[in-house]
Amino acid sequence: MSESYVECLVKHKTPTVKLFLRILFTVLTVLFVLLFFIAGPLALIMAVVCGVLSYFMSLECNVEYEYLYVDREISIDKISGQRRRKTIEKLNTEKIEILAPVNSWHLDEYKNRELKQRDYSIGYEAQPDQRYVLIYNNEMKVLLSPSSAFVAAVKNIAPRKVFTD
């Protein structure tokens, strides 16, 4: 039995709304701190609340996804702010129906299905588009941005389910 291990780290693009909220809460924190000297303790409480919200938004603005392939299992981890790691998906390769590029003709029969969609990719369409769609257990559609080594490792285990066209 040969074990294989491949990891791939991708940075997710920050949505504009989250970036705007982070800047807004930071500016409000500074304004409430300055207002504390004029208005009093209520402004300090508001500054602390806005500061905490700004901190959590900064974590959400810096998100990376790590894909790990270890012996027939794909694990997807979310890394927030380069500090917190959380495993969000564990996928068994035996339950994968198909892994193909986003624009592949192999995905045509899956287009009309009602599947839960999860996006763990880079978050935008690059040129050329290197995102992949993984249909898992006929219930979930997962968008990924894997490296070629990651795709090759999965293809070694499930050659009829993985396409690279």
Side-chain angles (χ1 to χ4, degrees):
M1 183 170 113
S2 66
E3 291 186 17
S4 58
Y5 173 85
V6 180
E7 70 179 56
C8 179
L9 185 69
V10 295
K11 178 149 178 56
H12 187 73
K13 182 183 177 198
T14 305
T16 335
V17 173
K18 288 183 180 181
L19 192 59
F20 173 75
L21 287 174
R22 183 181 122 204
I23 293 169
L24 176 71
F25 288 134
T26 304
V27 168
L28 285 175
T29 301
V30 171
L31 287 176
F32 281 125
V33 166
L34 294 176
L35 203 64
F36 166 68
F37 296 112
I38 299 170
L42 181 62
L44 183 63
I45 293 170
M46 292 302 293
V48 169
V49 168
C50 287
V52 169
L53 289 173
S54 175
Y55 171 75
F56 284 115
M57 286 309 296
S58 69
L59 288 179
E60 286 299 314
C61 285
N62 190 8
V63 173
E64 296 175 329
Y65 292 108
E66 182 180 49
Y67 317 133
L68 289 171
Y69 173 74
V70 181
D71 199 34
R72 297 182 183 237
E73 185 174 83
I74 297 172
S75 174
I76 302 172
D77 295 348
K78 179 181 177 182
I79 303 168
S80 299
Q82 297 179 342
R83 293 183 194 107
R84 297 174 152 179
R85 172 184 297 262
K86 182 180 179 184
T87 301
I88 46 181
E89 295 286 344
K90 285 198 180 259
L91 308 172
N92 190 340
T93 55
E94 294 172 1
K95 294 182 181 179
I96 291 176
E97 289 190 29
I98 188 169
L99 175 67
V102 171
N103 299 323
S104 175
W105 62 272
H106 295 287
L107 295 169
D108 286 345
E109 74 176 79
Y110 298 97
K111 285 188 178 181
N112 294 329
R113 292 189 186 175
E114 295 287 328
L115 302 171
K116 292 183 254 176
Q117 186 166 341
R118 308 270 168 81
D119 188 2
Y120 306 129
S121 68
I122 56 175
Y124 61 93
E125 185 175 329
Q127 295 299 326
D129 198 359
Q130 297 177 348
R131 295 177 300 160
Y132 277 73
V133 173
L134 184 144
I135 306 293
Y136 185 73
N137 205 18
N138 201 17
E139 59 189 41
M140 187 169 39
K141 177 181 177 181
V142 181
L143 280 171
L144 302 171
S145 297
S147 64
S148 57
F150 186 88
V151 174
V154 177
K155 189 169 186 168
N156 284 338
I157 296 299
R160 293 185 181 178
K161 298 177 181 179
V162 179
F163 301 98
T164 58
D165 55 48

